[in-house]
Amino acid sequence: MLHFIENALVGWAELARRGGAVLALVILAATAAAGWYAAGNLKVNTDTSAMLDAELPFQKRSIELRNAFPQIKTDIIVIVRAPTLDEADAYAADLRGAIAADQDAFDAVFAPAQENFFAENGLLYLSERELESRLTQMTKASSLIETLIKSPTLGTFFTTLADNDALAERSDLGADTLRALYDEIAKTIAAAEKGDDRPFSWMGALDDETREKPAHTRLIYASPVLDYSRLQPAKSGIEALRAQIAALDEKYAGRVDAFVTGDPALRVEELEAVTTGIGLSMGLSLIVVTILLLLCYRSTAMAAFTVLSLIVTLVLTSAFAAKFVGELNLVSVAFTVLLIGLGLDFAIHLLLHVQERRVDGQSNKDALQGALHEVGPALALAAPTTALAFLSFVPTKFDGIAQLGVIAGAGVIIAFFVSVTFLPAALKRLPVSRKKKRAGVVRGAFAAIEKIAAPIAVVTILAGVAALIFMPQVRFDADQMSLRNPNAPSVKGFNLLFDDEETIPYRLTRLVGSEDDARATAEKASALETVAATRSLPDFVPEDQDAKLELIDFAAGTLVFAFDAEPGSVEGPPAAEGISTLKTRLDEAYADGPGARLGALLGNIEAANDPALVERIERNIFRYWPALTERLAAQLNADYVEVDTLPDSLRARYLSDDGQWRVDILPAQDVRDYGALTAFVDDVAAIFPDLTGGAYQSLKAGETISTSMLQATGIAFVVVAVMLIIFIGRIRLVGLVLFPLALAAVLTAATGVLLDIPFNYANVIVLPLLIGIGVDAGIHLVLRHDQVAAGEGVYGTSTPRAVLFAALTTVASFGSLMLSPHRGTASMGELLSIAIAFTLICTLVVLPAAFDYAEKRAPEAIRRSDRVRFKTK
């Protein structure tokens, strides 16, 4: 079999050599046409959920959920975070208004805290105790509210505070509220003295719960107009939203943060990270690879031929992907960088053998034929074994990596044919080489390694045995967010969603057919310890509404007169008088605390006698006063709430057009921890096996992909072993080829544990790829070992040099992926580089040492039968 392959390759290459420049130009012209086709037809799909087989049960339920509630995938989420609730509400209201006005970019907007329904009925969602406390506070502040509605000035505010403070405990406001007001005023004045605008927080001063929070969050859900003619259909909406946020940032002096997240934003930024990383990696790897080729050949012409063959391979493979795949995913997009490393192997082995003969004075024709007699069978065997290792993911349920396997597998075959077709044609024009001395640094290094190969091999094998203890700790990280750039705004915003129980994105969801089923699901799920709460339309109907409405009606009797006051109907005292009155009172009453601090600041204002400063303070204190009074007045309009009276914008998120009721089940623990995620999903799934949602998807996807990895690794190992047995035919030699691969795989997995580099969606291809790449080197060394004279050893040939530089170019290519801002791509580069490094050690050190050991142990008759001479020309 190998003899037939050898002769066929020699004949093929001779035909290509005779074609010379004409054939080379034809190949380059075909490459240009293929590049044009690929540029116009190759696309990228950034939907990570599409990387798994759509026929999987959990995938079917996920698709059903997205079809019933498409906003899950299409809505852009804006997370507004501000130091005060007043600023958060104002910013969210402004942004909601801007989104609603931009009908070219957005179909709809939903901002729960700014919806009229929740503004009017918000008090009903408090417990009776919380409601009574809130209404008591509002009632006590009714006099102040009425006074400031009539005269919203600094003079009136400070004079009123001084009068209330003089009443002490008899004041309607109470001592605690007065201290909170003093503290807020002091913060506003201190900022104004520094030239900063720090708005006064009325909600922080008047509400205990609000005051205690370090930051306040509001959410806005924007439904963009989707343009499916673009790679990212929602990108226009995202760009419009970013522009609106930039305009508001200036208005709010940078005090409010707005994070754009949600599936569309995550996908846009992930694609940017991946493409930026791949572009950077590709450029850097080409530069490093070119330098390595110059060192490898010490010939500019041969390095140029190799780089040109690589470009041909990349372009033709891209055209193949465009024709037979169409859309790349966020993993398969890395095929270009992978092929930079893998596509060079065939050229390096062939040209180094050609060079080895050329320096002995052979012509290009004789050198090419002799090289193919030596290395041709190994090249022909290495190409399909590497391709099959890539294709090992095809039978699995992990379509994302299967796609990369198909493209890269085809790329390997293309690289092989380019090497035995384009390179022979190009070599025809290469001048005859003068005979050179073979001694060199690399050859000297191999001579030194040969002397100590045995002890190094023993140490490596012992390390592999010790590494087995880490195998139970090998883990798969199923969290898709761990792949993304942690510094991307959308990722930062997504992580903020975990801060609030109401917004946790990793939740379980069940679709049911009726309101009764939704209530029953919520009741059963809520009884579990791992469940914090549930959310469905019935959950938005407040409890004990009769009692709460009675409390609100009772309080409204007092408050309605305050809110009905005529705005600006009273002039009030001048600001200077109010400052002086309040300062005098505070100096008399307080020696420390907020009152004393405010008194000192008021003294500074009097001393400065700066009207502009006073104006700034007054503006900042009353900036959100109108919004506060409007919101407080609206809360008195609460009415009885039923499922049918819930707003359409909310109902659409929990009741589909075809009558499916959505029940969200929220976790009690942080399910970013794998143990908490597993416990949460298992507990709820024991009751409801028909679950879906982010938490379920994450766990089941992880299980599917980890299973796929084991299946693919096993398939690759078995297929490669069978091919080696078929073509080599000697079990002992096949064992020698496979042993270093198994050793390198164990060492790679153990190193991943020690360096905390878990397997994930992107780097899961490492072990099957290691088998494909490692077996190539083993094949070359085994077949070359058979060709050399007994006792000479494989280190005296050019094969180890070819294996070394093939591995170095692969490491340079894969290693450049580590620079990617996309963590998944970077982890692929990290783990692949580690794998190739161990493969190199195991192949160049352990395998030759195994040769020597096996030959010493084997009977003379077996050694003679195993050593097959390959005829050279």
Side-chain angles (χ1 to χ4, degrees):
M1 176 69 77
L2 291 179
H3 186 68
F4 171 78
I5 293 173
E6 173 188 330
N7 290 332
L9 282 177
V10 171
W12 177 275
E14 176 59 20
L15 289 175
R17 191 193 66 79
R18 292 177 183 178
V22 174
L23 177 59
L25 290 175
V26 169
I27 293 173
L28 292 176
T31 301
W36 176 82
Y37 176 80
N41 294 275
L42 193 58
K43 299 177 174 59
V44 179
N45 182 0
T46 58
D47 186 0
T48 52
S49 64
M51 290 200 292
L52 295 173
D53 188 347
E55 294 303 312
L56 289 166
F58 71 90
Q59 281 284 85
K60 289 182 177 180
R61 293 197 293 271
S62 178
I63 294 170
E64 182 184 1
L65 174 63
R66 293 200 302 271
N67 290 339
F69 301 96
Q71 61 269 31
I72 292 174
K73 295 289 286 185
T74 60
D75 269 7
I76 304 169
I77 303 173
V78 183
I79 302 169
V80 176
R81 282 176 70 88
T84 68
L85 184 58
D86 309 65
E87 290 172 294
D89 278 329
Y91 190 103
D94 284 347
L95 185 56
R96 178 187 182 279
I99 295 171
D102 190 355
Q103 297 183 4
D104 292 334
F106 300 98
D107 287 326
V109 58
F110 176 56
Q114 277 62 51
E115 295 291 322
N116 288 335
F117 172 85
F118 290 107
E120 294 180 352
N121 298 291
L123 293 178
L124 294 176
Y125 292 93
L126 300 175
S127 67
E128 281 193 63
R129 184 187 60 80
E130 291 171 333
L131 176 60
E132 191 169 0
S133 175
R134 178 73 60 84
L135 292 173
T136 299
Q137 286 179 308
M138 291 173 63
T139 302
K140 287 182 176 181
S142 60
S143 177
L144 176 64
I145 292 171
E146 182 178 0
T147 300
L148 293 182
I149 288 177
K150 292 178 179 179
S151 178
T153 65
L154 206 60
T156 299
F157 186 28
F158 285 179
T159 301
T160 304
L161 289 179
D163 292 342
N164 275 269
D165 195 272
L167 294 173
E169 294 301 329
R170 293 181 289 110
S171 164
D172 287 338
L173 293 175
D176 290 342
T177 301
L178 283 171
R179 280 194 296 269
L181 287 165
Y182 295 157
D183 186 53
E184 272 295 317
I185 296 170
K187 291 176 182 177
T188 301
I189 293 176
E193 287 184 332
K194 297 176 182 178
D196 298 331
D197 284 326
R198 192 269 185 192
F200 182 84
S201 175
W202 289 95
M203 289 302 297
L206 298 176
D207 183 69
D208 295 338
E209 184 179 350
T210 300
R211 188 185 312 132
E212 293 171 358
K213 291 185 178 180
H216 300 271
T217 302
R218 287 290 183 255
L219 296 184
I220 300 173
Y221 301 85
S223 301
V225 174
L226 300 176
D227 181 3
Y228 288 102
S229 66
R230 302 185 62 172
L231 177 61
Q232 296 291 342
K235 192 166 185 179
S236 295
I238 293 171
E239 291 172 346
L241 199 51
R242 287 173 176 168
Q244 293 164 354
I245 289 171
L248 286 177
D249 284 346
E250 183 176 352
K251 176 180 177 181
Y252 286 84
R255 286 181 51 81
V256 181
D257 294 320
F259 299 90
V260 179
T261 188
D263 192 73
L266 288 166
R267 289 170 65 176
V268 165
E269 291 188 353
E270 184 168 29
L271 180 61
E272 291 171 353
V274 169
T275 53
T276 299
I278 293 297
L280 176 64
S281 298
M282 188 173 179
L284 180 61
S285 59
L286 280 173
I287 294 172
V288 176
V289 161
T290 301
I291 294 172
L292 287 172
L293 290 174
L294 290 171
L295 294 174
C296 173
Y297 298 126
R298 289 166 292 179
S299 166
T300 303
M302 284 197 169
F305 288 159
T306 304
V307 171
L308 199 55
S309 70
L310 172 63
I311 293 172
V312 171
T313 298
L314 289 173
V315 174
L316 293 180
T317 304
S318 298
F320 169 86
K323 175 66 177 177
F324 296 101
V325 177
E327 282 189 343
L328 303 176
N329 58 56
L330 291 175
V331 175
S332 61
V333 74
F335 84 89
T336 52
V337 178
L338 293 181
L339 283 181
I340 289 176
L342 298 176
L344 293 169
D345 291 8
F346 305 105
I348 289 173
H349 280 281
L350 177 61
L351 292 183
L352 270 180
H353 281 74
V354 169
Q355 188 180 55
E356 186 177 29
R357 291 173 170 275
R358 277 168 47 86
V359 297
D360 284 338
Q362 293 186 12
S363 67
N364 288 339
K365 176 182 178 180
D366 291 341
L368 178 62
Q369 290 182 356
L372 284 170
H373 277 297
E374 289 177 347
V375 78
L379 293 178
L381 184 54
T385 52
T386 303
L388 286 171
F390 274 115
L391 294 172
S392 62
F393 266 100
V394 172
T396 72
K397 300 297 184 180
F398 191 7
D399 293 348
I401 290 290
Q403 185 185 92
L404 175 61
V406 169
I407 298 171
V412 168
I413 301 300
I414 291 170
F416 168 73
F417 279 105
V418 169
S419 296
V420 297
T421 306
F422 176 75
L423 290 178
L427 281 173
K428 184 175 182 179
R429 294 292 181 180
L430 193 65
V432 176
S433 174
R434 292 179 298 176
K435 187 174 181 178
K436 297 180 182 178
K437 192 174 181 180
R438 292 187 180 183
V441 175
V442 176
R443 191 175 294 273
F446 282 129
I449 291 174
E450 186 173 16
K451 296 177 182 178
I452 59 173
I456 295 178
V458 171
V459 171
T460 305
I461 293 170
L462 291 176
V465 174
L468 291 173
I469 65 175
F470 293 103
M471 293 304 99
Q473 300 177 50
V474 174
R475 65 186 179 91
F476 180 85
D477 186 355
D479 186 359
Q480 297 178 15
M481 296 306 299
S482 65
L483 304 183
R484 296 182 163 110
N485 179 7
N487 297 317
S490 62
V491 176
K492 289 181 178 179
F494 185 87
N495 289 331
L496 289 174
L497 294 174
F498 287 92
D499 292 348
D500 189 341
E501 175 189 283
E502 297 292 330
T503 60
I504 290 176
Y506 289 173
R507 56 182 65 189
L508 295 173
T509 300
R510 186 172 186 239
L511 298 180
V512 297
S514 68
E515 180 180 344
D516 290 341
D517 289 340
R519 291 183 183 275
T521 298
E523 183 179 354
K524 290 182 180 179
S526 297
L528 298 173
E529 290 184 2
T530 54
V531 174
T534 61
R535 290 293 176 269
S536 63
L537 278 184
D539 290 311
F540 289 96
V541 177
E543 297 178 347
D544 305 318
Q545 293 190 64
D546 292 329
K548 293 175 182 178
L549 287 170
E550 186 176 343
L551 288 172
I552 293 172
D553 289 342
F554 181 78
T558 302
L559 290 168
V560 69
F561 295 104
F563 291 121
D564 283 346
E566 183 68 24
S569 58
V570 177
E571 184 175 347
E577 180 180 333
I579 292 170
S580 177
T581 302
L582 182 56
K583 177 185 179 302
T584 300
R585 173 58 196 168
L586 296 177
D587 289 344
E588 292 174 354
Y590 301 98
D592 55 22
R597 288 197 299 274
L598 179 55
L601 288 169
L602 293 175
N604 294 340
I605 295 174
E606 284 187 323
N609 192 24
D610 183 354
L613 175 61
V614 173
E615 183 182 350
R616 167 175 275 181
I617 293 170
E618 184 173 63
R619 184 174 63 251
N620 284 333
I621 285 178
F622 287 99
R623 176 175 298 183
Y624 299 123
W625 173 251
L628 171 72
T629 56
E630 182 179 344
R631 184 161 57 249
L632 293 178
Q635 291 179 343
L636 301 179
N637 297 325
D639 199 359
Y640 203 85
V641 176
E642 295 178 333
V643 169
D644 293 339
T645 63
L646 291 170
D648 292 340
S649 55
L650 178 64
R651 288 173 58 86
R653 295 175 182 275
Y654 289 94
L655 179 59
S656 68
D657 292 338
D658 61 353
Q660 295 190 80
W661 293 68
R662 170 183 167 189
V663 182
D664 285 346
I665 304 169
L666 311 181
Q669 303 294 326
D670 187 348
V671 289
R672 286 174 290 186
D673 175 77
Y674 183 76
L677 174 65
T678 303
F680 174 54
V681 173
D682 288 349
D683 276 3
V684 182
I687 304 174
F688 306 114
D690 55 344
L691 293 170
T692 184
Y696 195 82
Q697 185 82 2
S698 178
L699 185 65
K700 294 303 178 182
E703 293 174 354
T704 300
I705 295 172
S706 58
T707 300
S708 298
M709 180 184 71
L710 295 175
Q711 290 176 346
T713 303
I715 291 171
F717 200 86
V718 170
V719 169
V720 166
V722 170
M723 283 202 65
L724 291 176
I725 292 172
I726 291 173
F727 283 95
I728 295 179
R730 285 161 285 171
I731 301 298
R732 190 171 67 89
L733 289 182
V734 171
L736 288 176
V737 173
L738 295 179
F739 173 69
L741 302 184
L743 181 59
V746 171
L747 291 171
T748 299
T751 303
V753 172
L754 293 173
L755 298 181
D756 194 25
I757 307 175
F759 288 103
N760 56 44
Y761 282 86
N763 65 28
V764 74
I765 199 173
V766 166
L767 293 183
L769 180 58
L770 180 150
I771 292 172
I773 295 174
V775 78
D776 288 359
I779 288 169
H780 284 290
L781 287 171
V782 166
L783 295 186
R784 187 63 161 166
H785 178 266
D786 271 355
Q787 294 169 1
V788 298
E792 290 184 6
V794 74
Y795 283 118
T797 70
S798 62
T799 297
R801 181 186 182 91
V803 170
L804 172 64
F805 278 96
L808 289 178
T809 55
T810 303
V811 170
S813 175
F814 294 168
S816 65
L817 292 172
M818 291 188 286
L819 301 177
S820 174
H822 186 262
R823 285 189 291 184
T825 305
S827 72
M828 183 193 297
E830 292 167 354
L831 214 52
L832 283 172
S833 297
I834 293 169
I836 299 304
F838 280 125
T839 302
L840 188 62
I841 294 171
C842 293
T843 304
L844 287 180
V845 178
V846 177
L847 184 56
F851 286 153
D852 293 340
Y853 178 78
E855 287 197 349
K856 291 175 182 177
R857 298 271 298 177
E860 179 64 27
I862 295 179
R863 292 203 298 269
R864 284 198 302 268
S865 65
D866 270 356
R867 189 169 295 280
V868 178
R869 296 289 183 178
F870 279 75
K871 185 178 179 182
T872 60
K873 297 182 180 181

